[in-house]
Amino acid sequence: MTFSLIARCPRTGQIGAAVTTSSIAVATRVPFCAAGVGAVLTQHRTDPRLGPRGLDLLRGGCTAAETVAALVASTPHAGWRQLAVLDAAGRTAHHHGARVKPERGEAHGPGVVAIGNILASDQVPAAMLAGFLAAPDAPLAERLLLGLEAGEAAGGEHGAVTSASLMVVWREAFPYVDLRIDLSPAPLPALRALWAGYAPLAEGFVQRALAPDDAPVI
């Protein structure tokens, strides 16, 4: 029971992912992002090995569609897997295995793809896409969070979600944003509050890494 989206900001080149689910520690298993490379979502009967493998394929020059095809071909359990891939050019692709439980679905837009399984409605991915596209001038992290919130407002998944994550990568090897909520009765409001607290500090944390002599005290 998971719904998620990955996207690229055409203004900044930032790449990110947002995801929520009914089980613990979704951030460690579903979203994989690399700056200047792309992003992979691997969910349903999740195989986290497919995330790094997908990023390696993207680094090697594969498009999003080629990466999905290669991932599906490389796993003997493709029927259980639900995948989405975004490449550095903003192209997207997805895979729903035959054994992925309904409602399942996807929605693609410019530089963004939303997917989900065991959803309350097949309209949840479209709602996530609409929520993301509704704020084109907002920071990518904010747009991703708006997408998750729109998906929940459209019904979300059949069960109650308990964990959520928000990740954005940018100019460095380390994430620009990497926020996680686990075992919460309301993970999306908690993630919203965490983002509100982190957003004004994000640039300062980067500066502490690159120019510590002039970095702010946080």
Side-chain angles (χ1 to χ4, degrees):
M1 304 182 197
T2 307
F3 55 100
S4 56
L5 67 163
I6 47 179
R8 178 183 181 274
C9 175
R11 292 182 292 104
T12 64
Q14 291 179 351
I15 290 169
V19 55
T20 187
T21 193
S22 57
S23 58
I24 191 172
V26 70
T28 68
R29 294 177 285 108
V30 172
F32 297 85
C33 303
V37 175
V40 179
L41 296 168
T42 169
Q43 55 193 52
H44 193 252
R45 297 282 175 96
T46 308
D47 183 353
R49 297 172 298 176
L50 299 180
R53 190 181 304 169
L55 292 178
D56 284 345
L57 289 164
L58 292 171
R59 286 189 186 95
C62 290
T63 66
E66 291 166 344
T67 297
V68 167
L71 290 176
V72 171
S74 73
T75 175
H77 306 293
W80 286 110
R81 313 305 186 196
Q82 186 179 50
L83 303 168
V85 174
L86 168 86
D87 63 32
R91 294 168 294 203
T92 58
H94 75 277
H95 163 75
H96 301 312
R99 305 183 79 171
V100 175
K101 295 181 180 180
E103 292 289 339
R104 64 188 190 189
E106 81 292 329
H108 294 259
V112 57
V113 56
I115 60 171
N117 60 77
I118 319 181
L119 300 170
S121 163
D122 62 4
Q123 297 304 304
V124 170
M128 282 193 286
L129 179 63
F132 176 85
L133 295 176
D137 296 327
L140 181 62
E142 174 68 18
R143 300 181 73 193
L144 290 165
L145 188 51
L146 288 170
L148 272 194
E149 291 168 339
E152 184 178 53
E157 60 180 57
H158 274 299
V161 294
T162 64
S163 69
S165 75
L166 178 64
M167 175 183 286
V168 173
V169 294
W170 197 2
R171 296 162 294 196
E172 309 302 332
F174 56 86
Y176 184 67
V177 178
D178 189 359
L179 306 177
R180 304 162 181 227
I181 302 295
D182 288 297
L183 292 182
S184 169
L188 294 193
L191 188 61
R192 163 65 67 184
L194 201 58
W195 165 239
Y198 188 84
L201 306 178
E203 284 294 333
F205 284 122
V206 174
Q207 190 175 354
R208 287 164 70 94
L210 304 183
D213 289 341
D214 302 315
V217 177
I218 298 175

